[in-house]
Amino acid sequence: MIKSMTGYGSASGASGKLKITVELRSVNNRFLDCSVRIPRVYTALEDRIKAEVQKAISRGKVDVFVTIDSSEADDVLISVNESVADAYVAAVNALSVRYKIANDLTALSLARMPDVLTVSKEETDMDVLGNDLVEILKAALSDFNAMRVTEGEKLRADVLSRACEIERMVGIVEERSPATVAEYREKLLKRMREALDSVQIDEQRILTEAAIFADKTAVAEETVRLRSHISQLRSLMEAKEPVGRKLDFLIQEFNREANTIGSKCNDLELQHTVVDIKSEIEKIREQIQNIE
């Protein structure tokens, strides 16, 4: 299944009183480059997020944005530092006895003493949060991949249509190439007749020259290989796994054969056809840069 490397996906959910939103965005890249943006207090979960992304995406520059809203999860804990409170009570009692003054210490006044009460938030269970976050991430990845598949189908249709056009033009080259040899033989014979006038022309020499020209301009091997590459391209377009890197390599082979054909063709009409072939190959190359 062809997938585009560009896409967007999102999903929301909750973990206890925490509200979680995950967004994914990606652009083209030769390899997988995953960047995670998450509140600093939860950075311990970054590796789990990257591991999950790697299961679903093979290449591309992927940005993962994680928003965790804890506004409804402000569970405050107040604890008593008993050793500090005991020390304050003992000190106040000692002052009362030493200076013969009333001991009017109350619980409220004791609570106001520094460090007697400690205020903290309830700790988040990172394992539970991590599990819930991964489930929301999976939903975002599903949405993300659905968009990439839709875009991938458009890329696939475009690439295959251009492959058909290349195949059609290869047929023109195959049909036209033998005719150029016959035309060359006729031109050579005409020139020799004009140059030698009434002198007897060596037909064997003409045939030899024509054979040498035919050997230099023969493109049968290149067109056969190019057709083979087109067939391989179609097979890759039906593959279930990511094929972007294979397509990168294959399109280089397309260019190599087209360049060789162009260097062998001396015919103006064929040169124009080869230029059109190269143009279609370049358009395919541009498109496969978007394929995972």
Side-chain angles (χ1 to χ4, degrees), residues 170-187:
V170 168
I172 293 174
V173 172
E174 290 172 330
E175 182 179 354
R176 175 64 183 162
S177 183
T180 61
V181 178
E183 290 173 5
Y184 174 78
R185 182 180 179 281
E186 290 302 318
K187 288 179 181 178

Side-chain angles (χ1 to χ4, degrees), residues 220-265:
E221 291 184 13
E222 288 75 15
T223 57
V224 167
R225 283 196 293 266
L226 194 47
R227 285 186 179 278
S228 175
H229 297 332
I230 292 171
S231 177
Q232 189 175 0
L233 175 69
R234 288 182 175 131
S235 296
L236 288 175
M237 283 295 172
E238 302 301 325
K240 301 299 181 183
E241 71 278 359
V243 294
R245 292 178 187 173
K246 291 181 180 179
L247 290 171
D248 282 338
F249 173 78
L250 184 61
I251 208 65
Q252 294 178 32
E253 298 302 308
F254 270 69
N255 271 318
R256 183 175 290 110
E257 303 304 337
N259 287 333
T260 304
I261 292 171
S263 67
K264 287 186 173 183
C265 291

Side-chain angles (χ1 to χ4, degrees), residues 135-155:
E135 291 304 311
I136 297 169
L137 175 60
K138 287 179 179 178
L141 284 167
S142 178
D143 184 44
F144 173 75
N145 280 328
M147 180 177 178
R148 294 202 302 147
V149 168
T150 300
E151 184 64 24
E153 281 301 308
K154 295 178 182 177
L155 292 172

Side-chain angles (χ1 to χ4, degrees), residues 4-6 24-36 47-64 141 144-145 148 242 245 248 291-292:
S4 170
M5 274 193 285
T6 58
L24 297 105
R25 297 172 185 169
S26 69
V27 294
N28 301 348
N29 200 56
R30 189 174 180 184
F31 303 103
L32 177 61
D33 178 11
C34 180
S35 174
V36 178
D47 288 341
R48 289 191 65 179
I49 294 171
K50 287 185 176 181
E52 201 63 36
V53 169
Q54 288 174 351
K55 294 177 184 177
I57 305 169
S58 65
R59 71 172 187 161
K61 188 180 187 309
V62 184
D63 290 315
V64 183
L141 284 167
F144 173 75
N145 280 328
R148 294 202 302 147
R245 292 178 187 173
D248 282 338
I291 294 177
E292 182 183 15

